[in-house]
Amino acid sequence: MFVPTIPFDPQRRLIQIVALASDGRRLVLQMLVDTGASMTGLRASALLALGIDPQTAERTLQLNTASGTMSVPVVVVPNLHVFGVSLVNVPVLCLPLPAAVGADGVLGNDVLSHFWLFVHFRRGLLVAEQVSNFWRRWRFWWQVMRAS
């Protein structure tokens, strides 16, 4: 199995992932890779495009940001396809991202922790491998060495 090597813009820190709605709709999302974010979050417009209405969320979460504390809805996305792996029933925040961010959402540690990641900023590459057994780990490091 091939370890994904993803083109990565180190200035914008954006990658593409795919979200699948429960009715099968596919949505390609531009996501900001944010290792400082605990949870993954999407704009309300992206959630609505997936048929998920943040207004009907059963749960909210207090979010501490640089500009203060806010309450945001928590919804479940049926399927996120990230680095070649499908993650099912992923809780995501509905984030009020400023337009200047230029992304559909933020990929946080709740998703990123499923992977070993290596970012080569000078070459603009991100190597990702799902955390699992020894041989997969060996393949990951082989791909990292090839990317270097």
Side-chain angles (χ1 to χ4, degrees):
M1 179 177 190
F2 177 73
V3 176
T5 302
I6 297 110
F8 179 73
D9 180 351
Q11 301 302 315
R12 296 180 62 211
R13 298 186 304 163
L14 294 178
I15 62 162
Q16 282 188 348
I17 69 168
V18 175
L20 299 174
S22 54
D23 64 2
R25 276 183 282 175
R26 259 178 74 113
L27 184 62
V28 176
L29 301 168
Q30 296 291 324
M31 299 292 284
L32 179 68
V33 176
D34 188 354
T35 58
S38 300
M39 285 185 72
T40 296
L42 294 173
R43 291 183 188 275
S45 58
L47 292 169
L48 290 169
L50 290 168
I52 301 169
D53 185 357
Q55 299 294 336
T56 62
E58 295 177 7
R59 185 175 143 215
T60 60
L61 186 75
Q62 288 296 113
L63 192 63
N64 296 317
T65 68
S67 57
T69 303
M70 67 175 81
S71 182
V72 296
V74 180
V75 297
V76 175
V77 173
N79 190 302
L80 286 181
H81 195 72
V82 182
F83 307 131
V85 175
S86 287
L87 303 173
V88 179
N89 296 328
V90 180
V92 299
L93 304 173
C94 178
L95 295 178
L97 296 173
V101 170
D104 297 309
V106 173
L107 203 56
N109 283 325
D110 59 335
V111 169
L112 296 174
S113 65
H114 291 268
F115 303 92
W116 293 20
L117 298 174
F118 169 78
V119 180
H120 194 303
F121 282 94
R122 275 187 253 137
R123 290 197 49 204
L125 293 175
L126 186 144
V127 179
E129 173 68 29
Q130 187 176 15
V131 174
S132 65
N133 67 28
F134 171 80
W135 292 112
R136 291 179 68 94
R137 187 177 340 144
W138 183 86
R139 263 196 330 269
F140 169 79
W141 287 110
W142 174 255
Q143 194 73 11
V144 166
M145 298 308 289
R146 289 183 58 209
S148 299

